Amino acid sequence: MQYTQLSDNYKYDTLADAIYAREVEYFHYDFDRTNFEHLLANATDNEFAANVAERLDSTRKQMGNVEAVMAALHAQIDDQAEYKAAVVRVTAKRKAKEAEG
């Protein structure tokens, strides 16, 4: 397909947004992982420990999924300068939106 309405920056802006979102997602999974590991190490109730262990396993799997998506996103970056410029643009847009609301 020939793109006629997308700007030249669209690909890298989209990649920058997607990578930011995956970083946020991974951060929260990692945050939960740390909490679950602490809870599991200090659990005194077997049923509670089993529940936490199940959630920890699920969280680790999701972290692996996010890592795989990140690798795929990074594989699409064929111009580091364009990507770095996109990060600056989308970060500025995000900050401006945060300032509004």
Side-chain angles (χ1 to χ4, degrees):
M1 171 181 260
Q2 190 90 0
Y3 298 113
T4 59
Q5 297 185 39
L6 300 179
S7 71
D8 293 340
N9 298 329
Y10 188 78
K11 173 186 175 181
Y12 287 102
D13 288 1
T14 301
L15 282 167
D17 276 333
I19 289 170
Y20 172 80
R22 297 299 67 80
E23 287 177 358
V24 170
E25 182 180 17
Y26 192 89
F27 172 87
H28 288 280
Y29 283 130
D30 196 38
F31 187 84
D32 289 345
R33 179 197 54 79
T34 300
N35 289 334
F36 293 149
E37 287 173 349
H38 175 79
L39 289 170
L40 194 56
N42 296 291
T44 56
D45 177 89
N46 289 341
E47 185 176 341
F48 177 74
N51 182 301
V52 171
E54 184 177 316
R55 294 180 72 187
L56 176 58
D57 183 56
S58 175
T59 298
R60 287 177 174 154
K61 287 177 184 172
Q62 290 300 330
M63 290 172 78
N65 292 342
V66 174
E67 289 171 344
V69 170
M70 284 291 278
L73 291 169
H74 281 280
Q76 294 185 58
I77 299 171
D78 46 3
D79 185 328
Q80 285 295 324
E82 287 288 336
Y83 173 70
K84 288 179 182 180
V87 169
V88 171
R89 283 191 302 274
V90 300
T91 300
K93 287 180 190 177
R94 195 169 40 253
K95 287 182 179 181
K97 190 172 185 175
E98 289 171 0
E100 289 176 4

